[in-house]
Amino acid sequence: MLETLYYITIYPIQLIIEILFNTVYYWQIGIGLTIFVVSLFVNLGSLPMFISAYKLQKKERDIQEEMAPKVKSIKANFKGAEKFMILSTYYRQNNYHPIMSLRISLSLLLEIPFFTAAYLFFSHLDMLNGMNWWIIKDLALPDGLLKINNVTINLLPILMTIFNVISCEIYMKGFKFKEKVQIYALAFVFLIILYNSPSGLVLYWTFNNLISLIRSFIIKLKKSLICLSAFLLFIIILICIKIPSYRIPFLLVDFFMLFISFSIPVYIFIDYIKNPRNIVNIKLINKLFVFSAIILVLLLSVVIPSNLISSSPLQFFNETCSPIKLLYYPFVQAIGIFLFWPVVFYYFMPKKTKISMLFLFQIFVYCCIFSILTVPDMGQISSVFVLLNQNFDGFLTDLYSLINFIGFGVTAIIISILIYKNKLQLLTNLMYIILFSIIIISFINLFKIPNIYKEYKQTIISDNNLKKQIHLSKTNKNVIIFLLDRGVSYFLPMIFNEKTELKEIYSGFTYFPNTVSYYPYTILALPSVLGGYEYIPENLNKRKESIKDKTTEGLLMLPLLFKQNNWSISVFDIPFDIGVDKILNKYEIENKKILHKYQNIYKKEYLQNIDTGFSLQKRNFLLYSFMVFVPAVFKDKIYDNGAYNALNKTKTIDQELLMSYSELYYLPEITDFNNDQNTFTFVYNLLPHSRGYLEYPDYVLTGKEVLNNVKENKKNIESYHLNMASFLLLGNFIKLLKENNVYDNTKIIIVSDHGSGYVNNTNFSSMINSVLIPFNPILFVKDFNAKGEYKTDYTFMTNADVPSIAIENIIDNPINPFTNKKITNNQKNNGALLFVEHKKWNIDHFNDNKVFYKNSYFNFVKDNVFDEKNWILDYKYKEE
Amino acid sequence: MSAPAFAYIDPATGSMLFSIIIGIVATVFFLLKSIFYKLYFILTGYNKKLKTNYIPIVLYNEGKKYDICFEPLLDEFEKKKTAIVYYTSEQDDMLLNKQYEYVKTEFIGYGNKAYMKLSLLQADICVMTTPGLDVYQLKRSKAVKHYCHIFHGIGDHCDYRLFGLDYYDSLMIINKLNGTYIREIEKKRNLKPKEFVVSGSLDLDKMSELIKSMPKEKSKKVTILVAPTWGPQAIFSKYGTLIIDELLKEKWNIIIRPHPQSLISEKKLIESIKSKYNNNNNVIWDTNVNNLISLNKADILISDFSGIIFDYAFLFDKPFIYTEYDQNREIYDYSDLGHDTWKTEVLKKTGFELKKDNFKNIVNIINKTVNDKEKIKNVQEVKKVIWQKQGQAAQIITDFVISKQKELSR
């Protein structure tokens, strides 16, 4: 309850202060001026509301004064219920209601959320630690400017109170002492609360009081508008003097954004100079305004978030919070930002400004819908709303930006015309249509989540013990495939050079650097890893069955082949929910889901009190929606490189990192050697695919991010950490095999489904970096009885070779159990046709029966993939 | 169970769906809109027929003492063959048993039960005597288009407690002067101007009719009627039995007629007075609802500021004696009037003010007043100004109500 209240009343202001601060701070004008400018903008933004509150306060005082004699007489002459009824009637005749007496404390009431927001923001602002300004040594501590003997006095709070008192004197000139007492008492309360607070906060509030002092002074002047402009100009000049010249373009963009954000006050200004317009039905206008605000709340806090969550519900699961509960935060935050405060603001505004606000909100609603309908392809996104494929610069130049700009413009014009022509009833009807649509889509999106979550809780969370899962044989043969999603091949020698002990552990392994995958993403790459060449994109297209069926075949070919030869099969977490489990069940094989199982055990043991992303989800979900909503030019500003304008960088652990890391960490504990059959094991893990840094130098997941002291692209370092951790953890598993003498009778294949598009190797040319690295998977193999330090083999390989490698020397004349075709790797002899164009990452992909169509683009490579000469780019595929 | 997230999220999922849904909803909305309206009209039209509770004209009688106002009205409506409904809060209301063709009568309970029913009333026009509409528990019904107030007795709306008639739409008043007061107060309170019609007085009309059929009783002894009002300024609370004691020194008949409200809220006081004169044959107590019998017998009336003084003066053309009183104006609508009403002047002209130091002299005063030719002449003159439209009240009020209802139902 209290939290809801906080999100609705305080949080919106706090967020605005944070975004303003983040924006202004990067103008690099120094911390003092930054605090001043933030205070100034908050003051200006809330100015119309406070002026109106002041007017209402005065009105209240007047009406109370006017009614006083009669009220006194009624109170003296009537008793009990009659007194109440007569008084109520008297109030009614004067268009007054006792609740209106709150108006007398209105500006005070408004001050409270503004103060609380500033208090919460500045008292938790980590960046102030140790920061000094002018004569203040540390903005995170009280100033302690005056020292007399051993007594330290904080001067700033006293200065603040002086400003406050002077401002009250001007503001309340002519008021009775009784009325002034309230304000002075408040000034005194502020002094007490802030006396020992961080001086950064006191500084903000001092500026705040100074600005309101100047403000009340200016308002009393005759030509207040001119004076106000002069004052603002002075501030701008002050900023421009301080600002480094290369920052000025940023400043201009920010000013433009601020102008947009503060457009309501600007509207008021325009209203003053504009001719009065005919206002027909203010009641309908009020209704439509509130309606638009509600719709906006629903669009931003239900439609966009539920679209995202429902596209991959599991990603947003977390043992303490269901995705539905997660939606609570954007919802209450949106109510605060787009409903509560706008309505409060609206209430205080004169009629004409109300219409302007209606214009604005109506335009917002339709632009928001436009944005949702034309949402750009932003690629993949993590559970804390970080885009893995950050490419917002493209927005400013490409077609999307243009369509977006035109769309917003046209929407704004149409809506303005409709309002101008008084088509309010039509607009209200449209609102109903949108409301019903929102309800339907929300139901569709949200309906499936609780069931999935319930199942998830039952199967995964309740049973988090370290039961043995992998059963290997001491006497017979074992084949194990570890699939590391997005493992980066070229890191391997670097990893072994840094951790030389790994060389001894991974004895008998062969590294194949000259390897490609046929596709850079799991969805089309994995089928060929487990199914061989019959399941590369080119061959998938030749068969008419649905991609769903063909993919399922590919994923199951190898396990079923081993099954046919009476091997004991264990497969873990084969991805895609497209019927794989059903087919496996027919052969009495279970696709065991263990990837999620160990995170809680690991957390309990090593990561007590460490946030695994929840606080970021809480803060950023609405901002993500907002980013989807705003015009293309502003997206980058809101997104802020994934920080969403947060000043305190919250340290959290990525969910995917936690679960993948913990699975590999506990691998030795869940393995036994009691099997008396030949065994085939497949383990799918996402560790290299996840996000976050580990603790250097041991690359352990502790929640502390300690980076290696190297000059490298951060993405590279992150990916390196994750690949390194994968090999270190798998090393522990190999050690276990050796200790139990099951190493020689075990064939191990460590392979990734594809490379990574987010890293680059400075030793490679830019062309190789861009065309090879996403298609360059890890292929690291140890055959039975292989010994000695790991070798490097430059034979041209693809990861579709994996089935052949797995069955080599085990199954003679291997036949695909689905197609009855012989399993070979002859196809790569002529090189490999790598598919580049396909972009369907979502579930729609499976419903088609073709992967690509005529004239789709491919890259072709053969022999040495590191040699640019061996590549043919943008090869147009001619279908037979 | 779905596979673990492979983390390829396409934020565009759902956009397509959303656009399709908006399309469908919009189509359905516009397709169904006309059907919806048709349905709405059918339903609401049907509802109108179902509105059996709707009544064009309602009269509401709050209690027994107002019977005298309503009987002439019901008779007049009957005469004009206008169908009306008469609600009463008086269980043994004799009008309930009177045979009417056009008037439907109903006892609706009293207090909150009656107010509840009235606040849900559906009517064009509702006629009442009850002050404090929409101020006290009795609220205006949203489904009643017009509330009409009829006065009881000779008075004006300044005599009602604060805001008493502010939420009526029309007032039937006794004389034009009252109309000017109404406008003054409306202006002061920023109220919408009410309609008012000078209709005279229903109860005085009725009473004068009744008097005609009454026997001219003439007792040998002088008969004094003491009829005070109630409250701290009334005779008994203020002076106790001082006046009665003086009067008893003469061998006169004394009729004591306490205000009905005294019998409820000043029970102890009345009981003690009663027991004091228990054995005195010259003291007669009158608690009859109808005051006419006592008025008819009386040679002179002694009162304070009760409305009975005008009944007495105007019906019998006789002067009266009234005790001085300090009316607390603040309680009444008076307080928003910047001046005195006609009452002050009329009292002085037609009655004799009895001050406390004159109590010893009361016998002389009575003898003098009874035969005061000038006062009697004054009564006759004042009566013409104050009690206008004599004998026409029922006619005027029913005419107004009927034409108003027609106008409203249009």
Side-chain angles (χ1 to χ4, degrees):
Chain A
M1 183 60 215
L2 212 61
E3 198 186 21
T4 307
L5 201 67
Y6 158 75
Y7 276 120
I8 291 175
T9 56
I10 314 285
Y11 179 77
I13 304 167
Q14 200 182 334
L15 186 69
I16 288 169
I17 294 177
E18 189 168 15
I19 292 174
L20 271 174
F21 197 99
N22 193 29
T23 306
V24 178
Y25 186 69
Y26 286 100
W27 296 347
Q28 299 186 352
I29 50 174
I31 184 73
L33 203 53
T34 300
I35 294 177
F36 179 77
V37 172
V38 170
S39 177
L40 179 73
F41 280 123
V42 172
N43 253 287
L44 282 181
S46 57
L47 183 65
M49 204 155 62
F50 276 97
I51 289 177
S52 174
Y54 174 70
K55 278 184 190 156
L56 282 174
Q57 198 170 342
K58 196 169 172 305
K59 204 170 150 192
E60 173 67 25
R61 258 167 23 100
D62 292 347
I63 190 165
Q64 276 196 12
E65 217 161 79
E66 200 184 304
M67 292 192 307
K70 190 78 181 173
V71 169
K72 201 177 155 196
S73 152
I74 291 172
K75 281 184 176 165
N77 289 301
F78 292 92
K79 276 183 209 146
E82 188 180 15
K83 180 163 87 180
F84 171 77
M85 288 186 280
I86 294 284
L87 210 53
S88 306
T89 309
Y90 180 63
Y91 285 149
R92 180 152 46 121
Q93 293 191 346
N94 287 280
N95 297 319
Y96 183 79
H97 191 277
I99 202 152
M100 287 160 114
S101 66
L102 283 178
R103 293 191 298 193
I104 205 104
S105 332
L106 253 174
S107 49
L108 199 71
L109 209 66
L110 281 176
E111 196 88 73
I112 293 170
F114 277 87
F115 174 73
T116 317
Y119 186 89
L120 290 174
F121 173 72
F122 281 101
S123 51
H124 294 105
L125 187 58
D126 295 343
M127 66 182 282
L128 290 183
N129 285 328
M131 202 176 247
N132 62 340
W133 177 72
W134 198 30
I135 47 172
I136 299 164
K137 286 195 185 100
D138 188 342
L139 287 168
L141 300 172
D143 61 74
L145 282 174
L146 194 65
K147 276 193 181 133
I148 304 168
N149 296 330
N150 282 330
V151 185
T152 313
I153 295 170
N154 302 327
L155 285 184
L156 207 52
I158 296 170
L159 184 71
M160 174 196 81
T161 310
I162 293 171
F163 284 146
N164 208 348
V165 168
I166 299 173
S167 162
C168 292
E169 265 308 316
I170 297 176
Y171 185 67
M172 303 199 65
K173 213 171 179 182
F175 280 45
K176 285 179 199 144
F177 176 72
K178 215 174 104 189
E179 289 163 317
K180 284 185 186 172
V181 163
Q182 201 185 24
I183 302 289
Y184 287 126
L186 192 74
F188 186 65
V189 169
F190 278 139
L191 179 62
I192 290 173
I193 296 176
L194 292 180
Y195 188 74
N196 272 320
S197 294
S199 46
L201 169 64
V202 184
L203 194 63
Y204 173 83
W205 209 248
T206 308
F207 283 146
N208 194 55
N209 287 342
L210 179 66
I211 291 162
S212 46
L213 174 66
I214 296 167
R215 187 184 70 192
S216 23
F217 191 67
I218 287 175
I219 287 171
K220 298 258 164 178
L221 289 178
K222 269 183 185 162
K223 295 190 172 172
S224 57
L225 210 60
I226 296 169
C227 295
L228 193 68
S229 318
F231 174 62
L232 285 180
L233 195 69
F234 169 71
I235 301 297
I236 291 167
I237 291 168
L238 194 67
I239 293 166
C240 291
I241 292 168
K242 293 273 296 193
I243 200 168
S245 58
Y246 71 95
R247 281 272 157 196
I248 286 178
F250 294 93
L251 174 88
L252 290 176
V253 171
D254 287 340
F255 257 112
F256 177 60
M257 307 253 320
L258 284 167
F259 179 81
I260 299 290
S261 326
F262 285 84
S263 53
I264 297 165
V266 173
Y267 261 112
I268 296 164
F269 172 72
I270 293 167
D271 269 336
Y272 279 126
I273 51 174
K274 213 163 48 177
N275 286 332
R277 207 185 315 115
N278 284 332
I279 298 158
V280 265
N281 190 343
I282 191 74
K283 266 192 185 160
L284 200 58
I285 286 167
N286 292 343
K287 189 179 142 193
L288 196 55
F289 174 75
V290 176
F291 206 167
S292 346
I294 291 171
I295 296 278
L296 202 59
V297 167
L298 292 176
L299 285 171
L300 288 169
S301 73
V302 182
V303 175
I304 300 178
S306 72
N307 269 354
L308 179 62
I309 281 189
S310 72
S311 72
S312 178
L314 279 171
Q315 193 175 351
F316 295 92
F317 284 168
N318 160 331
E319 67 284 2
T320 50
C321 176
S322 91
I324 298 277
K325 200 178 151 201
L326 189 60
L327 286 174
Y328 158 84
Y329 295 97
F331 184 62
V332 283
Q333 290 166 5
I335 287 179
I337 298 169
F338 298 103
L339 183 65
F340 175 75
W341 279 107
V343 168
V344 169
F345 201 95
Y346 183 88
Y347 167 79
F348 284 112
M349 291 302 108
K351 237 178 190 176
K352 277 188 241 160
T353 316
K354 282 184 173 153
I355 294 191
S356 312
M357 285 181 75
L358 175 72
F359 262 89
L360 213 62
F361 268 65
Q362 276 287 309
I363 291 170
F364 280 171
V365 165
Y366 291 99
C367 287
C368 188
I369 292 168
F370 176 78
S371 286
I372 293 173
L373 298 185
T374 61
V375 70
D377 183 357
M378 291 188 282
Q380 306 157 62
I381 192 166
S382 80
S383 61
V384 290
F385 320 108
V386 175
L387 299 172
L388 303 185
N389 179 16
Q390 305 177 36
N391 201 11
F392 276 117
D393 297 344
F395 278 156
L396 290 169
T397 49
D398 69 9
L399 189 66
Y400 170 75
S401 173
L402 186 69
I403 293 171
N404 184 276
F405 182 75
I406 294 170
F408 270 64
V410 170
T411 311
I413 290 166
I414 293 172
I415 299 304
S416 305
I417 291 172
L418 285 175
I419 298 177
Y420 193 80
K421 296 226 161 190
N422 259 320
K423 302 276 182 203
L424 297 181
Q425 195 54 52
L426 174 71
L427 288 167
T428 312
N429 285 344
L430 289 174
M431 290 282 108
Y432 277 112
I433 292 174
I434 293 164
L435 181 67
F436 287 127
S437 309
I438 288 173
I439 291 170
I440 294 171
I441 187 130
S442 309
F443 262 103
I444 293 173
N445 281 343
L446 299 177
F447 196 69
K448 47 189 170 185
I449 295 173
N451 287 330
I452 298 176
Y453 184 63
K454 219 166 124 191
E455 224 175 307
Y456 163 81
K457 273 219 128 157
Q458 277 168 2
T459 56
I460 287 159
I461 293 175
S462 60
D463 130 45
N464 52 8
N465 56 43
L466 291 171
K467 210 173 88 186
K468 302 290 181 194
Q469 302 280 3
I470 302 174
H471 310 288
L472 300 177
S473 171
K474 279 198 168 184
T475 47
N476 288 311
K477 285 177 175 167
N478 303 305
V479 172
I480 309 176
I481 299 176
F482 287 110
L483 194 122
L484 299 175
D485 198 324
R486 209 206 273 156
V488 176
S489 175
Y490 79 81
F491 284 145
L492 211 126
M494 297 159 72
I495 290 168
F496 280 75
N497 278 340
E498 187 181 331
K499 298 282 173 195
T500 46
E501 68 271 24
L502 287 177
K503 289 181 183 171
E504 198 186 321
I505 294 169
Y506 285 89
S507 60
F509 268 86
T510 305
Y511 167 47
F512 296 95
N514 191 18
T515 305
V516 289
S517 65
Y518 281 87
Y519 189 63
Y521 298 103
T522 311
I523 202 160
L524 263 177
L526 192 59
S528 60
V529 177
L530 288 168
Y533 286 94
E534 284 182 58
Y535 302 96
I536 62 173
E538 186 187 356
N539 292 337
L540 281 178
N541 234 41
K542 288 177 183 162
R543 289 172 53 190
K544 288 201 173 77
E545 294 94 328
S546 76
I547 294 178
K548 192 170 159 179
D549 293 342
K550 288 182 277 193
T551 306
T552 310
E553 269 183 28
L555 296 173
L556 298 182
M557 197 283 287
L558 201 51
L560 290 187
L561 184 61
F562 274 103
K563 180 76 184 174
Q564 275 184 345
N565 286 278
N566 295 320
W567 283 51
S568 165
I569 313 295
S570 304
V571 290
F572 299 99
D573 301 294
I574 296 180
F576 313 130
D577 187 12
I578 50 172
V580 172
D581 297 10
K582 235 188 203 169
I583 296 178
L584 279 174
N585 288 345
K586 264 197 240 166
Y587 296 90
E588 291 167 352
I589 301 168
E590 192 192 346
N591 181 19
K592 288 190 181 164
K593 309 296 180 347
I594 62 168
L595 191 50
H596 287 83
K597 273 198 173 181
Y598 308 105
Q599 48 180 339
N600 287 331
I601 305 174
Y602 190 84
K603 241 170 107 176
K604 223 178 257 172
E605 215 164 325
Y606 301 105
L607 302 172
Q608 298 249 349
N609 308 323
I610 287 176
D611 193 338
T612 49
F614 186 51
S615 64
L616 274 180
Q617 287 178 334
K618 258 160 72 170
R619 183 188 180 277
N620 293 347
F621 210 165
L622 182 67
L623 289 164
Y624 160 78
S625 292
F626 196 60
M627 177 197 55
V628 170
F629 159 46
V630 295
V633 279
F634 297 145
K635 286 191 199 294
D636 202 20
K637 169 71 197 154
I638 301 294
Y639 179 66
D640 188 24
N641 288 320
Y644 292 95
N645 286 281
L647 280 160
N648 292 332
K649 307 288 184 223
T650 317
K651 299 275 183 298
T652 65
I653 297 174
D654 178 39
Q655 192 81 30
E656 211 170 87
L657 167 62
L658 177 62
M659 70 185 188
S660 300
Y661 187 92
S662 49
E663 185 196 36
L664 293 185
Y665 182 84
Y666 289 113
L667 216 49
E669 313 228 6
I670 59 168
T671 305
D672 68 21
F673 305 97
N674 297 333
N675 211 322
D676 47 13
Q677 274 180 288
N678 291 325
T679 71
F680 171 77
T681 307
F682 171 78
V683 178
Y684 173 81
N685 189 279
L686 284 157
L687 188 50
H689 185 281
S690 58
R691 301 220 44 189
Y693 302 94
L694 302 157
E695 189 178 337
Y696 178 79
D698 293 327
Y699 301 97
V700 185
L701 178 61
T702 57
K704 254 188 267 168
E705 294 189 332
V706 180
L707 270 56
N708 332 25
N709 195 13
V710 284
K711 275 195 177 169
E712 256 286 12
N713 170 336
K714 279 211 164 183
K715 277 271 176 199
N716 282 357
I717 296 177
E718 187 183 33
S719 186
Y720 180 76
H721 271 224
L722 298 166
N723 280 280
M724 169 67 100
S726 308
F727 279 97
L728 286 171
L729 293 172
L730 285 177
N732 293 339
F733 177 75
I734 288 169
K735 272 197 257 174
L736 179 85
L737 297 189
K738 285 182 171 174
E739 280 159 22
N740 286 280
N741 292 322
V742 280
Y743 193 60
D744 286 343
N745 61 336
T746 303
K747 185 189 280 189
I748 303 170
I749 302 170
I750 301 172
V751 63
S752 54
D753 47 354
H754 52 77
S756 169
Y758 310 116
V759 294
N760 58 72
N761 186 337
T762 44
N763 297 326
F764 295 161
S765 70
S766 64
M767 179 200 144
I768 291 297
N769 264 316
S770 71
V771 300
L772 174 65
I773 303 303
F775 290 86
N776 185 208
I778 296 171
L779 186 59
F780 199 43
V781 180
K782 186 203 85 83
D783 206 349
F784 301 115
N785 300 313
K787 290 195 171 58
E789 202 174 289
Y790 89 88
K791 291 189 293 258
T792 305
D793 182 335
Y794 286 98
T795 311
F796 175 65
M797 302 291 278
T798 81
N799 58 5
D801 287 331
V802 167
S804 307
I805 298 170
I807 55 181
E808 197 183 356
N809 300 327
I810 295 172
I811 300 168
D812 299 327
N813 294 323
I815 303 286
N816 181 337
F818 292 102
T819 60
N820 295 321
K821 283 185 185 163
K822 193 167 187 255
I823 296 161
T824 67
N825 44 19
N826 294 338
Q827 182 147 11
K828 73 168 178 186
N829 296 344
N830 301 324
L833 207 50
L834 313 183
F835 183 32
V836 289
E837 210 188 9
H838 180 277
K839 272 185 178 172
K840 276 190 204 160
W841 291 312
N842 57 42
I843 232 81
D844 290 346
H845 158 79
F846 293 112
N847 298 327
D848 212 338
N849 62 355
K850 282 199 171 195
V851 179
F852 58 88
Y853 293 90
K854 210 174 172 182
N855 293 332
S856 286
Y857 283 97
F858 285 79
N859 287 340
F860 177 79
V861 66
K862 60 175 188 178
D863 302 337
N864 181 3
V865 298
F866 300 101
D867 187 346
E868 292 184 9
K869 278 179 269 171
N870 291 335
W871 287 82
I872 300 171
L873 302 187
D874 296 340
Y875 174 85
K876 254 191 201 172
Y877 189 79
K878 306 268 186 303
E879 220 177 346
E880 288 157 29
Chain B
M1 184 69 212
S2 160
F6 53 95
Y8 293 134
I9 283 186
D10 174 14
T13 312
S15 293
M16 269 288 260
L17 192 61
F18 193 44
S19 59
I20 293 167
I21 289 170
I22 291 180
I24 294 171
V25 173
T27 318
V28 170
F29 186 88
F30 285 112
L31 265 179
L32 292 187
K33 210 172 128 190
S34 55
I35 300 173
F36 172 77
Y37 279 124
K38 268 180 203 157
L39 215 68
Y40 178 80
F41 285 130
I42 291 168
L43 283 175
T44 49
Y46 188 55
N47 269 344
K48 228 170 199 175
K49 278 176 208 158
L50 275 181
K51 272 187 189 166
T52 47
N53 292 329
Y54 162 81
I55 308 163
I57 300 171
V58 176
L59 274 65
Y60 169 63
N61 180 4
E62 171 194 358
K64 205 167 204 119
K65 73 175 191 181
Y66 301 105
D67 288 0
I68 196 161
C69 298
F70 284 101
E71 194 179 0
L73 278 181
L74 297 198
D75 293 349
E76 189 68 22
F77 278 119
E78 178 76 10
K79 210 170 101 188
K80 290 187 170 147
K81 298 185 177 175
T82 303
I84 63 148
V85 173
Y86 169 75
Y87 285 151
T88 176
S89 285
E90 189 194 340
Q91 197 149 19
D92 47 0
D93 191 334
M94 50 122 183
L95 291 172
L96 286 170
N97 300 321
K98 202 166 170 179
Q99 290 302 311
Y100 287 117
E101 194 180 335
Y102 295 94
V103 176
K104 206 185 130 209
T105 59
E106 189 186 341
F107 168 66
I108 59 164
Y110 44 83
N112 286 335
K113 195 183 165 197
Y115 296 153
M116 191 64 155
K117 181 161 176 98
L118 290 169
S119 66
L120 297 171
L121 191 65
Q122 297 176 23
D124 283 334
I125 184 162
C126 177
V127 183
M128 304 192 290
T129 52
T130 316
L133 174 67
D134 230 26
V135 176
Y136 299 125
Q137 289 91 334
L138 179 55
K139 302 291 175 204
R140 277 183 72 112
S141 160
K142 278 185 180 146
V144 172
K145 291 176 191 156
H146 190 98
Y147 279 91
C148 171
H149 179 263
I150 49 177
F151 272 96
H152 170 257
I154 294 281
D156 59 65
H157 81 311
C158 298
D159 299 332
Y160 288 116
R161 291 171 92 78
L162 271 183
F163 315 124
L165 303 182
D166 285 356
Y167 298 97
Y168 277 96
D169 301 294
S170 62
L171 308 176
M172 303 296 107
I173 55 179
I174 291 158
N175 56 46
K176 275 185 189 156
L177 280 172
N178 290 359
T180 62
Y181 303 157
I182 290 167
R183 288 288 178 259
E184 260 179 70
I185 289 178
E186 279 168 353
K187 206 170 163 193
K188 168 122 193 197
R189 294 185 188 154
N190 270 326
L191 297 171
K192 207 175 82 188
K194 285 180 272 290
E195 277 180 71
F196 59 78
V197 174
V198 178
S199 66
S201 167
L202 282 166
D203 41 346
L204 256 63
D205 283 357
K206 182 75 186 171
M207 283 192 266
S208 50
E209 213 176 282
L210 290 172
I211 289 166
K212 281 175 201 161
S213 58
M214 278 170 107
K216 286 272 174 207
E217 276 181 53
K218 203 63 211 160
S219 166
K220 283 168 198 164
K221 277 202 238 172
V222 174
T223 302
I224 315 273
L225 173 60
V226 180
T229 179
W230 64 285
Q233 289 288 323
I235 289 176
F236 290 145
S237 306
K238 207 169 174 187
Y239 309 115
T241 55
L242 282 179
I243 293 175
I244 310 275
D245 291 341
E246 282 301 320
L247 291 172
L248 282 174
K249 286 177 184 166
E250 296 289 316
K251 295 281 175 218
W252 287 341
N253 278 336
I254 297 166
I255 303 173
I256 303 177
R257 183 182 161 81
H259 193 277
Q261 187 59 39
S262 288
L263 297 174
I264 298 162
S265 46
E266 296 169 338
K267 213 172 173 180
K268 268 189 184 166
L269 179 70
I270 301 296
E271 288 300 322
S272 72
I273 298 169
K274 258 189 181 168
S275 63
K276 186 172 177 183
Y277 304 115
N278 216 0
N279 298 321
N280 196 320
N281 290 333
N282 289 332
V283 176
I284 302 156
W285 289 82
D286 171 20
T287 51
N288 204 324
V289 177
N290 187 353
N291 59 16
L292 268 185
I293 302 159
S294 300
L295 286 174
N296 192 30
K297 284 181 188 163
D299 293 300
I300 190 143
L301 169 73
I302 299 174
S303 183
D304 32 44
F305 49 98
S306 176
I308 199 170
I309 51 184
F310 294 111
D311 293 355
Y312 182 71
F314 291 166
L315 289 171
F316 299 95
D317 290 341
K318 286 178 186 171
F320 51 87
I321 291 168
Y322 63 98
T323 57
E324 66 170 339
Y325 66 94
D326 299 319
Q327 194 184 19
N328 180 5
R329 289 185 166 210
E330 294 299 316
I331 305 175
Y332 302 100
D333 265 0
Y334 228 163
S335 58
D336 279 337
L337 202 63
H339 52 84
D340 287 337
T341 63
W342 50 261
K343 255 187 181 174
T344 322
E345 201 187 332
V346 169
L347 277 177
K348 272 184 196 150
K349 269 189 167 173
T350 58
F352 188 90
E353 187 178 9
L354 181 66
K355 291 193 170 146
K356 200 184 173 185
D357 46 8
N358 262 340
F359 283 3
K360 296 273 176 208
N361 257 337
I362 193 155
V363 176
N364 287 337
I365 290 167
I366 287 173
N367 286 331
K368 198 182 144 207
T369 309
V370 169
N371 299 310
D372 190 334
K373 289 268 162 54
E374 168 137 17
K375 292 263 182 218
I376 293 169
K377 201 180 136 205
N378 282 350
V379 168
Q380 286 163 347
E381 275 172 10
V382 163
K383 188 160 98 176
K384 282 181 206 155
V385 181
I386 299 306
W387 180 16
Q388 295 176 347
K389 313 273 183 189
Q390 294 180 24
Q392 303 170 51
Q395 168 95 33
I396 294 173
I397 293 171
T398 51
D399 280 350
F400 171 79
V401 170
I402 290 165
S403 74
K404 189 81 217 164
Q405 192 272 328
K406 269 187 194 151
E407 182 191 319
L408 292 168
S409 68
R410 233 174 263 153

